[in-house]
Amino acid sequence: LADIAQEFDTEIGALLHLSPKTVDSYRSRLMGKLGVSDVPALVRLFPHALAHAHPLATRPGSGHRQPDRKSV
């Protein structure tokens, strides 16, 4: 399971332009704030969180994007 978690950290990090260690740290902090002790418990909360998320947070392409910079 640790290998699978590391792979997800790598994939999520690539999507968000973060290191896998940063993704792991953010997930650990989130789990502490939510009072869950393992990843399966965090995953079980996801449908509830998605149902109460801001509408823009659930739309495709609504992730963080860097502004386009034109060279001068």
Side-chain angles (χ1 to χ4, degrees), residues 34 42-53:
L34 294 174
L42 181 63
V43 171
R44 285 192 295 271
L45 289 176
F46 182 74
H48 176 72
L50 190 59
H52 298 292

Side-chain angles (χ1 to χ4, degrees), residues 14-64:
L15 289 171
L16 298 176
H17 305 287
L18 300 170
S19 75
K21 180 64 179 166
T22 301
V23 174
D24 181 58
S25 176
Y26 285 177
R27 182 180 53 247
S28 294
R29 290 174 54 200
L30 178 64
M31 289 171 62
K33 289 179 180 185
L34 294 174
V36 296
S37 59
D38 55 22
V39 174
L42 181 63
V43 171
R44 285 192 295 271
L45 289 176
F46 182 74
H48 176 72
L50 190 59
H52 298 292
H54 188 279
L56 292 177
T58 59
R59 290 179 38 203
S62 63
H64 175 72

